[in-house]
Amino acid sequence: MLSRTADHLYWLTRYLERAENLARVLDAANHLSLSGGVDAVSCWAPVLAISGGTEAYDRKYGAVNGIDVISHAVLDWSNGSGVLSCLKAARENAHAVRSVLPTELWQAINAMWLEARTLDGPALRQRGLIGFGEWVRERSQLVRGIALGTMRRGEPYHFMRLGTFLERADDIARILQVMDDRRDAEAARQLRWAGILRGFDALQPYRAAYGSDVVPSRVARLMILDAEQPRSLHFCMDIVHNHLETLCPPCEGTRLAGAIHSSLRFGRLEDLLADGLAPYCARFVADANRLCNQLHVDFLMAS
């Protein structure tokens, strides 16, 4: 398969996953703001930090408030990491490799974009942030489900899965890094972590494993080491490593992915977090970026 085709497939799913994850983070911030236990800046500033848009936001909007953060993160076309920008980029990548995609899959991606591009401020207010987030998650999951149900397990499928789970792992690490704010009062910390668990469909699994008290170290264990939790670093890197083993066992990218996966499979949480959660997550993001750069060398177009 041409590297250009692989590149489009890989970024198609990265952008789609990025849009879904940002919608989930916005949902968590919205629930936190409605709880009344945390000030507005503490609720919404993490959204900017996680999506890497703090500097651009400061230049354009200034003070942090919910309305402007939502506008920047969802509607602002100058924000390349915003939800609508990501959906547009996903559709453009899908269009470039339309002949490789099952018809049903292309139609689902195109329909998602055609509906998203009509969204503006009044339409978003009418739908509501919660309703909009549910729509993004449902459409993203629909696309992923169609791919699982229709695509032959050949190279296009493997590159799409790589994009999804590398993006998810990177986003999880950034979220854990930003949320590890020890300046919060204990009650605020519990609200913040409970919001993240709820936003990432992990509250029920957490309660099943640990009970109702939300303890940051237990949240970290679930979202870093739990091999059965779909939004954990271990789960994501397991899938990434398996697909790279299928594509090219001797490649350097496969070795790097195997090293990251092994640290999650065999490592102890106490050892991984010896310097703290935020420093560990920063190292994971750096390792993930190194892996992504290597994938471009091994398979994709020059970055």
Side-chain angles (χ1 to χ4, degrees):
M1 187 171 61
L2 294 174
S3 62
R4 183 182 297 275
T5 301
D7 191 75
H8 285 304
L9 292 164
Y10 171 80
W11 281 105
L12 154 62
T13 48
R14 282 206 74 153
Y15 280 121
L16 195 60
E17 182 71 17
R18 191 173 298 177
E20 180 184 342
N21 287 333
L22 183 52
R24 290 175 179 274
V25 170
L26 283 166
D27 184 64
N30 190 43
H31 275 92
L32 189 61
S33 71
L34 295 175
S35 72
V38 183
D39 64 84
V41 173
S42 297
C43 290
W44 295 104
V47 175
L48 302 172
I50 291 166
S51 60
T54 302
E55 292 184 5
Y57 176 92
D58 289 343
R59 287 196 299 272
K60 190 166 185 176
Y61 298 94
V64 173
N65 62 74
I67 292 175
D68 286 343
V69 170
I70 293 169
S71 179
H72 177 72
V74 176
L75 301 170
D76 194 336
W77 292 107
S78 68
N79 176 16
S81 294
V83 175
L84 292 190
S85 294
C86 287
L87 294 181
K88 180 182 180 184
R91 192 267 185 187
E92 288 174 346
N93 278 281
H95 187 264
V97 291
R98 183 175 172 179
S99 61
V100 176
L101 301 176
T103 301
E104 190 178 353
L105 180 57
W106 157 251
Q107 289 175 340
I109 297 169
N110 194 46
M112 183 180 189
W113 164 242
L114 291 176
E115 188 173 350
R117 71 176 183 176
T118 64
L119 192 73
D120 56 14
L124 180 59
R125 282 193 292 275
Q126 184 176 21
R127 187 188 292 259
L129 185 60
I130 295 174
F132 173 71
E134 290 174 349
W135 178 82
V136 173
R137 295 199 301 272
E138 288 173 0
R139 293 303 186 277
S140 176
Q141 290 167 351
L142 173 66
V143 169
R144 205 157 48 242
I146 293 174
L148 282 168
T150 61
M151 290 190 74
R152 180 179 179 273
R153 271 36 176 180
E155 288 184 339
Y157 175 81
H158 295 307
F159 282 108
M160 290 180 69
R161 296 286 283 178
L162 280 177
T164 295
F165 286 95
L166 270 174
E167 180 65 33
R168 185 177 297 182
D170 185 74
D171 288 345
I172 291 169
R174 292 176 188 275
I175 289 165
L176 292 176
Q177 182 181 3
V178 169
M179 291 301 167
D180 187 30
D181 189 345
R182 297 174 187 276
R183 294 170 299 180
D184 281 346
E186 184 57 31
R189 291 188 78 195
Q190 289 205 15
L191 285 172
R192 188 184 298 280
W193 286 108
I196 288 298
L197 289 171
R198 184 184 299 106
F200 283 81
D201 299 326
L203 187 56
Q204 184 179 9
Y206 176 91
R207 285 175 171 164
Y210 302 111
S212 58
D213 287 342
V214 177
V215 179
S217 61
R218 293 173 178 170
V219 177
R221 181 176 295 280
L222 182 75
M223 297 187 72
I224 292 175
L225 290 185
D226 194 315
E228 298 179 351
Q229 174 60 27
R231 294 185 181 276
S232 77
L233 298 183
H234 188 173
F235 185 94
C236 293
M237 292 310 302
D238 188 27
I239 291 181
V240 167
H241 184 235
N242 286 339
H243 284 289
L244 285 172
E245 280 281 6
T246 303
L247 285 167
C248 181
C251 283
E252 175 64 11
T254 307
R255 189 192 68 78
L256 291 175
I260 299 172
H261 176 241
S262 293
S263 71
L264 294 163
R265 181 180 178 188
F266 299 110
R268 291 189 176 93
L269 188 67
E270 297 75 15
D271 297 332
L272 296 176
L273 305 189
D275 298 328
L277 177 59
Y280 168 75
C281 291
R283 289 196 298 274
F284 183 92
V285 169
D287 289 343
N289 285 340
R290 195 174 304 116
L291 171 58
C292 293
N293 291 335
Q294 187 60 45
L295 295 188
H296 278 270
V297 174
D298 292 342
F299 303 109
L300 308 176
M301 297 165 60
S303 53

